[in-house]
Amino acid sequence: MLARATVLVLALLIAPVAPAHPEIEDALARLSAQLATQPDAAALYLERGELYARHADWPAAEANYLRAAELSPRLPRLDLVRGALALATGRPAEAFPLLDRAVAAAPADPEALLLRARTLARLARRPAALADYGAAFRLLAAPSPDLWLERVALFDAPADSLRSLEEAIAQVGPVLSLHLRALELEITLGRTDAALARLDLLIAGSERRELWLKRRGDLLLAARRPAEARATYTAALAAIATLPSWLAGSPEIAALSRDLNRLATTPP
Amino acid sequence: MLTLRRLAFTLTALALPGLDAATAITRGPYLQSATPTSMVVRWRTDNTEASVVRYGLTRTELTSTARAEGINSEHIVHLSKLTPNTRYFYTTGAEPAAKAGAAAGTGKAASAPKAASAEAEDAPGKAPISSFVTPPLPGPAQPTRVWVLGDPGTKNETQRAVRDAYQKFTGTRGTDLALLLGDNAYPDGTDTDYQKAIFDIYPETLRSVPFWSCLGNHDGKSANSITQSGVYYNIFTFPTLGQAGGVASGTEAYYSFDHANIHFISLDSHDSDRGLTGAMMTWLKADLAATTRDWIVAFFHHPTYTKGTHDSDKDSDSAGRMNEMRQNVLPVLEAGGVDLILTGHSHVYERSFLLDAHYGKSPTFDAATMVKQKGEVRADGTVTYRKPRARTPHTGDINVVTGSAGHAGSTTKPPKLDHPAFYIALNEAGSSVVDVDGLSLTLTFLNDKGVTRDRFTITKE
């Protein structure tokens, strides 16, 4: 603890003159010049800390945040950025009370809610994390697939994960990364027909159907449905036949064709 | 929120009966998400009004109308059922013709841009008429010109000089699309920054050429990819469900689109998960596997290699993003048969040999195994490379750092520019021009003086 405090003090001392990345040199010079004339300006320390944090210079960022906290403990955003930093540096237990205060101060801020959700997830407090994700999602116009997948990963039961994915697909649309995760879960649950239905959606929406058809055939084969598998492999070969010749003649497709021919003609 | 806005507008309109006659365009119009059969037209007005686009095949017959719901000051209108590869004329505004008449008496044109454009050559009092050409159907080749602007948004004379040099270079040859490689508006990517760095600098081009973009670190100061919120995401409209070709990504942070025989992939090197199992990577693999276009061009902000104003050998530089793009994303792109990678961030021009499989720091670069072709120099100085047309993983790609459309590196303390992967490296302001004609792709780097400083061609056979 003492060692970290020493590092932070040193970071603050050297921060104004430390070699910086080219793009932040100007901004750092400006802030440092302002701080030289306004050494008690907490907001400037906060701004400089955020600048360092954007470039993952965590010790310098934290040193500036701590100085800002000394000068003005109730500075808006300070709890949020300090919590974000603690989380980014692998200290979720330290992050939680900071982010808890940040959410209390701004309950409609999705950024604060998401940071607290991630912190709670790291602390293995999954129900509370899910509640925060839910609250953040209600505030967001378009949560990204990445965010939905974060949330899906928190469920213990694959069936719950699937329900969350269905919700995501209903909201975001037929997005590949969500469909693929759902496909994996269907297979995990042994729901072959549901998995096939998801593959059929991907096949229907793709210009290059051969790879998805191959995967469909593999799934059928694993489910001990060899006749259907062979028919699917044959369909994959037919899909290859519709490709432009320059593409069908590529080494990868040639290898796939050989594989498909063997699979399509293998007796059960 | 919308209801409150409508109520506020209604009350204001009741209190100020003459208000609707005085609406002026303060931004745009600008074109987004172009597909062979659709176009998104966006613009901003100083007051709220209906969002209407009138369009047609000739300047004098704007017989079709498209509208967005409600009354707005930020207008986003989707034009659909268009004919591929066709020029459309259009005008924006609530009811331009009628309003123009009403406004004429006041001496103020309704919905007229504050800055007249060369293309807005219409009679005084009428809303200006601009035009665009819908992209051709994906697949068949068609000569295509792409203007590539990396890190343009300085708002300064260098940015204008780079713009003017390109306009002179391209002359009457139309630009089919423009790519912004991020850091579009310094310093913080705010709405005001965008107004001054993009909308006030390229108004004519924005009216007639669809702009596509990727997120840069300065844009990321005012935007968040995970929540898809902030200025960058408010300003741009990109396809999230594969509407313009490619696989649905579900996010505007990374997406793809087709133009003729080219497949473009925009990646988020700043704010999305760049890990091997992240959603972007999952999508990227599927998107690469799905395309049947002749050419694959990927663009993102942080370069895989650079020794310009950034150093891709330094782990701390840009918080390791360049490392992640090189170590995680580049192998996937090369396995998927990418031909050209366009990046910015480093305010220089650096262009590689035809390369494959250099995923480490520069000391690990092994020219004997990683340079697929050094290139042959033609009499006119163009460097030529050849690739097989059949899509084959790891047959080489050219990495171009073209991040100097707004400023170059320092001249008093110039960047080293000594990365061994590069055939040429220049500390000069400029932009890049990509011309695709069938199975030939040519990139020209044009400096701010209008001088061609590098040109190479990849030919597929």
Side-chain angles (χ1 to χ4, degrees):
Chain A
M1 193 66 190
L2 185 63
R4 206 176 113 224
T6 309
V7 167
L8 293 177
V9 170
L10 284 171
L12 186 59
L13 289 173
I14 64 169
V17 293
H21 309 309
E23 65 186 13
I24 62 169
E25 278 175 353
D26 289 349
L28 280 176
R30 174 179 58 81
L31 285 168
S32 298
Q34 286 178 283
L35 279 166
T37 57
Q38 306 167 63
D40 294 334
L44 292 176
Y45 283 105
L46 172 63
E47 190 179 349
R48 195 167 70 175
E50 287 191 274
L51 199 57
Y52 280 117
R54 271 201 289 270
H55 294 270
D57 189 343
W58 306 123
E62 189 161 22
N64 280 274
Y65 290 161
L66 286 175
R67 182 68 183 133
E70 284 170 10
L71 292 165
S72 178
R74 293 179 187 278
L75 193 64
R77 279 185 64 79
L78 189 56
D79 284 330
L80 182 77
V81 296
R82 289 182 68 195
L85 187 147
L87 183 62
T89 50
R91 293 176 281 145
E94 281 181 51
F96 180 72
L98 293 162
L99 293 169
D100 210 29
R101 284 205 299 270
V103 171
D109 178 1
E111 186 186 1
L113 282 162
L114 287 171
L115 284 167
R116 192 174 71 175
R118 287 170 178 162
T119 303
L120 288 162
R122 293 281 294 276
L123 294 170
R125 293 172 58 183
R126 291 184 177 192
L130 284 167
D132 272 0
Y133 274 110
F137 281 21
R138 284 190 288 278
L139 293 165
L140 292 170
S144 68
D146 309 59
L147 211 47
W148 279 105
L149 291 170
E150 269 183 46
R151 181 176 186 244
V152 165
L154 288 179
F155 291 102
D156 288 322
D160 291 335
S161 299
L162 261 176
R163 265 193 295 278
S164 181
L165 281 166
E166 288 296 354
E167 191 186 344
I169 291 167
Q171 187 170 332
V172 181
V175 169
L176 181 114
S177 54
L178 301 175
H179 266 308
L180 281 180
R181 184 74 190 106
L183 177 64
E184 289 165 8
L185 288 166
E186 302 281 20
I187 293 170
T188 303
L189 288 167
R191 294 166 46 169
T192 304
D193 285 336
L196 290 170
R198 290 191 188 279
L199 272 172
D200 287 344
L201 278 175
L202 293 170
I203 291 164
S206 179
E207 252 186 286
R208 298 277 307 274
R209 296 181 299 129
E210 69 278 5
L211 293 171
W212 295 118
L213 284 164
K214 165 74 165 53
R215 191 158 176 181
R216 190 181 199 280
D218 293 346
L219 182 60
L220 286 163
L221 208 54
R224 298 172 190 276
R225 292 159 67 172
E228 290 171 82
R230 282 198 300 277
T232 305
Y233 291 135
T234 303
L237 285 164
I240 289 174
T242 66
L243 291 174
S245 58
W246 63 268
L247 193 56
S250 71
E252 278 198 328
I253 296 296
L256 178 64
S257 295
R258 285 194 295 275
D259 203 18
L260 287 167
N261 268 313
R262 178 180 58 76
L263 290 163
T265 54
T266 302
Chain B
M1 190 70 190
L2 192 60
T3 308
L4 279 174
R5 201 162 66 180
R6 282 181 184 171
L7 179 63
F9 173 79
T10 307
L11 292 171
T12 311
L14 286 171
L16 300 167
L19 182 70
D20 64 341
T23 303
I25 293 176
T26 56
R27 172 176 293 179
Y30 61 105
L31 305 171
Q32 295 280 279
S33 285
T35 82
T37 58
S38 67
M39 185 71 77
V40 175
V41 181
R42 298 190 56 160
W43 72 100
R44 177 183 287 178
T45 47
D46 59 353
N47 285 311
T48 52
E49 66 173 13
S51 305
V52 183
V53 174
R54 292 185 308 131
Y55 60 102
L57 295 173
T58 66
R59 180 176 287 277
T60 52
E61 292 179 275
L62 306 183
T63 52
S64 300
T65 303
R67 293 182 174 84
E69 281 188 16
I71 52 169
N72 310 285
S73 57
E74 202 67 50
H75 306 274
I76 308 173
V77 177
H78 295 251
L79 277 56
S80 58
K81 297 179 181 172
L82 305 178
T83 304
N85 205 21
T86 300
R87 180 172 294 278
Y88 283 87
F89 295 87
Y90 74 98
T91 185
T92 59
E95 289 175 80
K99 276 195 165 185
T106 66
K108 191 167 185 178
S111 297
K114 285 176 173 171
S117 74
E119 201 169 62
E121 55 194 16
D122 308 280
K126 280 196 172 182
I129 296 174
S130 304
S131 73
F132 61 80
V133 178
T134 49
L137 285 171
Q142 175 162 306
T144 298
R145 170 158 290 182
V146 184
W147 187 23
V148 184
L149 292 157
D151 305 62
T154 52
K155 314 161 186 167
N156 65 18
E157 284 309 309
T158 302
Q159 185 184 8
R160 290 187 180 84
V162 169
R163 173 199 64 191
D164 295 344
Y166 171 73
Q167 297 296 355
K168 192 173 175 187
F169 171 86
T170 197
T172 55
R173 166 54 168 110
T175 305
D176 295 289
L177 60 113
L179 302 181
L180 296 169
L181 303 183
D183 285 5
N184 305 326
Y186 290 100
D188 298 324
T190 63
D191 192 78
T192 304
D193 290 334
Y194 261 92
Q195 184 65 41
K196 291 177 179 171
I198 295 294
F199 295 103
D200 291 350
I201 300 278
Y202 310 112
E204 286 84 7
T205 313
L206 285 158
R207 271 195 276 277
S208 56
V209 176
F211 272 59
W212 305 83
S213 184
C214 58
L215 185 79
N217 49 300
H218 285 268
D219 308 302
K221 291 181 183 180
S222 301
N224 185 322
S225 292
I226 299 298
T227 57
Q228 290 193 79
S229 59
V231 174
Y232 176 90
Y233 291 103
N234 291 339
I235 283 176
F236 293 115
T237 302
F238 299 131
T240 60
L241 298 175
Q243 302 97 317
V247 170
S249 69
T251 171
E252 292 180 291
Y254 49 89
Y255 59 91
S256 60
F257 64 97
D258 290 330
H259 186 101
N261 62 338
I262 317 161
H263 185 63
F264 291 93
I265 299 173
S266 171
L267 297 176
D268 178 9
S269 61
H270 178 68
D271 207 17
S272 290
D273 184 350
R274 297 168 295 276
L276 290 168
T277 57
M280 183 165 75
M281 198 71 86
T282 303
W283 167 81
L284 174 62
K285 289 174 187 170
D287 188 71
L288 285 162
T291 185
T292 58
R293 305 289 87 82
D294 286 313
W295 296 97
I296 300 176
V297 176
F299 62 101
F300 43 91
H301 185 65
H302 292 85
T304 49
Y305 324 117
T306 184
K307 286 283 186 180
T309 60
H310 287 273
D311 186 344
S312 56
D313 283 347
K314 281 189 182 170
D315 292 334
S316 61
D317 193 331
S318 309
R321 289 178 175 87
M322 291 183 286
N323 281 350
E324 290 176 345
M325 294 309 286
R326 187 178 62 250
Q327 293 165 358
N328 298 343
V329 177
L330 187 57
V332 172
L333 287 169
E334 292 187 336
V338 71
D339 299 297
L340 177 65
I341 295 172
L342 301 165
T343 57
H345 194 48
S346 209
H347 304 145
V348 294
Y349 176 80
E350 298 171 303
R351 194 266 289 172
S352 75
F353 301 97
L354 191 74
L355 291 182
D356 182 60
H358 176 42
Y359 309 132
K361 304 278 176 63
S362 64
T364 68
F365 184 74
D366 177 9
T369 58
M370 295 169 182
V371 175
K372 308 298 283 188
Q373 288 168 42
K374 286 188 174 177
E376 294 172 17
V377 185
R378 288 200 308 232
D380 66 355
T382 304
V383 186
T384 62
Y385 301 90
R386 287 180 170 75
K387 286 185 73 172
R389 189 180 187 195
R391 182 155 309 136
T392 312
H394 300 291
T395 47
D397 50 277
I398 294 189
N399 284 252
V400 179
V401 182
T402 177
S404 60
H407 49 179
S410 166
T411 50
T412 54
K413 193 180 169 189
K416 288 183 177 174
L417 298 175
D418 60 353
H419 197 294
F422 292 119
Y423 177 99
I424 184 171
L426 302 165
N427 183 29
E428 294 184 23
S431 63
S432 292
V433 186
V434 177
D435 286 299
V436 177
D437 190 356
L439 297 181
S440 171
L441 180 153
T442 297
L443 185 143
T444 303
F445 177 68
L446 194 67
N447 74 9
D448 58 338
K449 311 288 188 301
V451 178
T452 295
R453 299 287 282 122
D454 183 38
R455 178 180 285 146
F456 69 86
T457 296
I458 308 172
T459 304
K460 292 196 171 182
E461 48 199 25

